[in-house]
Amino acid sequence: QQQVKQSPQSLIVQKGGISIINCAYENTAFDYFPWYQQFPGKGPALLIAIRPDVSEKKEGRFTISFNKSAKQFSLHIMDSQPGDSATYFCAAESFGNEKLTFGTGTRLTIIP
Amino acid sequence: DTGVSQDPRHKITKRGQNVTFRCDPISEHNRLYWYRQTLGQGPEFLTYFQNEAQLEKSRLLSDRFSAERPKGSFSTLEIQRTEQGDSAMYLCASSLGAGTDTEAFFGQGTRLTVV
């Protein structure tokens, strides 16, 4: 049973545009929602994370929007750059059960 | 480099052989995790340690897999009698643990190919 569903599977965005990746979860016990960025041949690296007590968190060009009632959260990358081309994973974790459940990933390509 | 270190980076082995991977976490981190990632998928949890204690094992971790973390520092993941289905990237992560900063830092992984 996939507990975190991620879409789209791949995304092509023009340089300077906004990249949007969506995730939905089922387990209401989840209380920590990170996004990871992974380049080929590398391990995932934490990009930004949110807890459900806020609806939005912004760090530089990266913003997480969180909708607790809909059990959805999304990553927005503003002013997308070619260096942002990577695979992005959403994840979720619950206190007392500290292991990350990952989505299936979105391969983002930023074209000039 | 003060990040999570994994060794080897790549391993090619014949079916039926045993393999062992090593992970050195960030030094002050008391939690250590192993994940497996297959092509086109997100990492899947295998097991984790709080210091030297193995606290949880996924059902994905068959009895051919064993993990240890002696003295609560580095960890090893051993796969016995490897099968082609074991081919994957094995990722190690570490964190300070619950109640503080739960951010997990990942190593670069060990890519296993079983031929």
Side-chain angles (χ1 to χ4, degrees):
Chain A
Q1 180 185 6
Q2 185 184 354
Q3 294 195 57
V4 180
K5 294 184 178 179
Q6 184 171 347
S7 63
Q9 194 172 22
S10 62
L11 181 62
I12 299 174
V13 174
Q14 205 142 26
K15 180 182 174 183
I18 303 173
S19 304
I20 302 174
I21 305 171
N22 301 299
C23 281
Y25 63 96
E26 299 166 4
N27 186 350
T28 55
F30 286 146
D31 63 356
Y32 175 68
F33 302 90
W35 283 90
Y36 281 83
Q37 179 188 57
Q38 186 175 30
F39 293 103
K42 305 290 186 182
L46 180 68
L47 198 59
I48 186 173
I50 197 168
R51 294 194 181 274
D53 52 342
V54 296
S55 60
E56 187 175 283
K57 183 175 181 179
K58 184 175 181 179
E59 289 183 1
R61 296 186 294 112
F62 302 94
T63 300
I64 300 179
S65 296
F66 184 81
N67 185 329
K68 189 174 181 178
S69 60
K71 294 188 287 185
Q72 294 175 347
F73 58 110
S74 60
L75 175 69
H76 293 61
I77 306 174
M78 314 298 286
D79 187 26
S80 299
Q81 299 296 313
D84 297 330
S85 297
T87 299
Y88 293 80
F89 294 95
C90 63
E93 182 181 279
S94 57
F95 186 81
N97 190 17
E98 287 86 14
K99 57 179 184 283
L100 291 164
T101 299
F102 284 86
T104 51
T106 296
R107 187 169 184 171
L108 174 65
T109 304
I110 307 300
I111 56 174
Chain B
D1 187 355
T2 56
V4 178
S5 177
Q6 292 189 245
D7 183 70
R9 292 290 310 280
H10 304 274
K11 178 72 176 177
I12 299 174
T13 190
K14 291 184 178 180
R15 188 163 48 113
Q17 297 294 304
N18 298 343
V19 294
T20 300
F21 311 140
R22 178 182 170 121
C23 171
D24 287 272
I26 295 172
S27 58
E28 64 267 27
H29 286 184
N30 53 17
R31 289 209 167 193
L32 186 147
Y33 306 81
W34 285 98
Y35 288 82
R36 180 170 66 189
Q37 185 177 24
T38 53
L39 205 60
Q41 297 296 315
E44 294 177 296
F45 170 79
L46 293 178
T47 188
Y48 86 93
F49 294 83
Q50 171 88 18
N51 299 313
E52 67 275 10
Q54 188 173 18
L55 296 187
E56 187 173 346
K57 290 166 57 173
S58 164
R59 284 172 291 179
L60 292 174
L61 213 64
S62 77
D63 55 8
R64 296 185 298 105
F65 289 70
S66 62
E68 294 182 343
R69 193 183 182 195
K71 303 178 184 178
S73 55
F74 72 92
S75 175
T76 58
L77 178 69
E78 182 184 16
I79 308 174
Q80 296 182 325
R81 305 181 303 281
T82 53
E83 302 173 355
Q84 287 189 320
D86 297 331
S87 296
M89 174 80 87
Y90 290 84
L91 292 163
C92 176
S94 70
S95 73
L96 281 171
T100 54
D101 186 341
T102 58
E103 177 180 345
F105 293 83
F106 283 82
Q108 296 196 59
T110 293
R111 181 166 294 285
L112 173 66
T113 303
V114 181
V115 298

